[in-house]
Amino acid sequence: MEHAPLSPASLRFLKMHGLGNDFVIIDARSGENPVTPALARALGDRHRGVGFDQLAVILPAKGADFTLEFWNSDGSKAGACGNATRCVSDLMMRDLGREAVTLFTERGQLSACRRADGLVSVNMGAPILDAKAIPVLADPMALPRAGAPVAVGMGNPHCIYFVEDAEAVDVAGLGPQIEHDPLFPARTNVEFAALVAPDHLRMRVWERGAGITLACGSGTCATAVAAHLKGLTGRHVIVDVDGGRLEIDWREDGVWMTGPTATVFEATLSPAFLASL
């Protein structure tokens, strides 16, 4: 991606997705960060803007190749976004002519690489299991709610329900209720997962600040961690989401997530659109 200076009259962006989890990506390494809550909301509108599940801003970094900042389509900040991290890492590896990169997010320094099969892997860091750090106002492994959900942090809070049939869950109805449950002072992402085999899960997701998405990287990682902690799976699992398949490997150095990425288009926001904000 070219690193031309950004100005109120000209703002280039890239559209990418990982398993249908779609992102607008703005490269602000060579200029000021242009993103505000108003711009994030306007860009996130699928009818009057561009549309995205998350907005990722590439920023400079000291001690790493780049920094990533994440926004939801409702104009709120996101602490982590695994599939966007994989997409931008793919972009930056191609840009830098390398097969591995390091980056900073709110989670600290992370690493990503391209596997021999072309899929992109990112180390999402260690799971957060402390209630205060998630944050959740109860024991994360014994939440006082019907269905025995589990809370896990992966930069974002996640509330994971294990169900018999993920396809039968009313995600649109239950998701927003659970997102705003008083147990979660910062709201929460919500995952519904069914065990297919000891190394295989089926998961559907409601994302905090975004709604139903076809995939959620941090949510897939959190679900895999929760499944292992509950004794349902090992530490290496395949997770089928609405948009495809992700591979999760909870290693000693963190939770690694692997899957495909896709670049859709690059474009420039019109001066009239920017002036209307």
Side-chain angles (χ1 to χ4, degrees):
M1 184 187 296
E2 294 182 0
H3 312 315
L6 301 171
S7 72
S10 175
L11 182 56
R12 295 193 67 76
F13 69 92
L14 195 70
K15 188 74 182 285
M16 299 185 74
H17 76 85
L19 300 174
N21 194 190
D22 65 331
F23 315 106
V24 164
I25 297 164
I26 294 174
D27 189 346
R29 285 177 292 165
S30 61
E32 292 185 8
N33 185 347
V35 180
T36 63
L39 177 59
R41 286 191 297 270
L43 277 173
D45 189 321
R46 294 190 182 276
H47 301 286
R48 298 177 177 85
V50 178
F52 59 74
D53 290 331
Q54 274 81 35
L55 166 65
V57 187
I58 310 173
L59 299 167
K62 290 184 178 179
D65 294 306
F66 59 98
T67 296
L68 277 180
E69 177 183 273
F70 304 110
W71 295 78
N72 295 313
S73 56
D74 68 355
S76 63
K77 287 281 192 75
C81 185
N83 284 318
T85 302
R86 290 193 309 101
C87 283
V88 177
S89 295
D90 181 23
L91 175 71
M92 293 296 291
M93 283 187 280
R94 287 187 275 119
D95 189 46
L96 297 172
R98 304 217 306 263
E99 296 299 303
V101 290
T102 57
L103 63 138
F104 285 115
T105 72
E106 284 190 12
R107 295 230 62 202
Q109 184 166 323
L110 306 179
S111 58
C113 63
R114 191 186 318 282
R115 292 199 321 196
D117 59 6
L119 298 181
V120 175
S121 299
V122 60
N123 182 353
M124 293 290 290
I128 301 167
L129 304 175
D130 174 74
K132 186 176 181 180
I134 289 175
V136 61
L137 304 179
D139 179 348
M141 293 301 296
L143 298 180
R145 293 293 184 267
V150 174
V152 175
M154 287 299 310
N156 295 322
H158 296 271
C159 182
I160 303 105
Y161 288 79
F162 290 97
V163 298
E164 287 295 321
D165 183 3
E167 311 298 338
V169 176
D170 179 14
V171 179
L174 294 173
Q177 299 176 34
I178 301 167
E179 175 187 351
H180 295 276
D181 190 300
L183 279 179
F184 293 90
R187 300 183 293 158
T188 186
N189 291 27
V190 189
E191 287 79 30
F192 301 94
L195 182 67
V196 178
D199 62 352
H200 190 178
L201 297 166
R202 168 70 172 108
M203 187 199 85
R204 298 174 66 202
V205 61
W206 174 275
E207 290 201 52
R208 176 184 65 168
I212 294 174
T213 60
L214 296 180
C216 175
S218 64
T220 306
C221 292
T223 298
V225 168
H228 178 70
L229 292 176
K230 288 180 72 71
L232 300 174
T233 69
R235 295 170 71 103
H236 185 185
V237 296
I238 297 298
V239 184
D240 290 331
V241 296
D242 286 352
R245 176 168 288 184
L246 288 165
E247 177 184 336
I248 309 298
D249 191 6
W250 184 9
R251 307 176 192 169
E252 291 300 317
D253 64 345
V255 183
W256 284 82
M257 175 180 59
T258 302
T261 67
T263 300
V264 184
F265 63 86
E266 187 173 2
T268 303
L269 294 171
S270 74
F273 178 84
L274 294 168
S276 69
L277 300 179

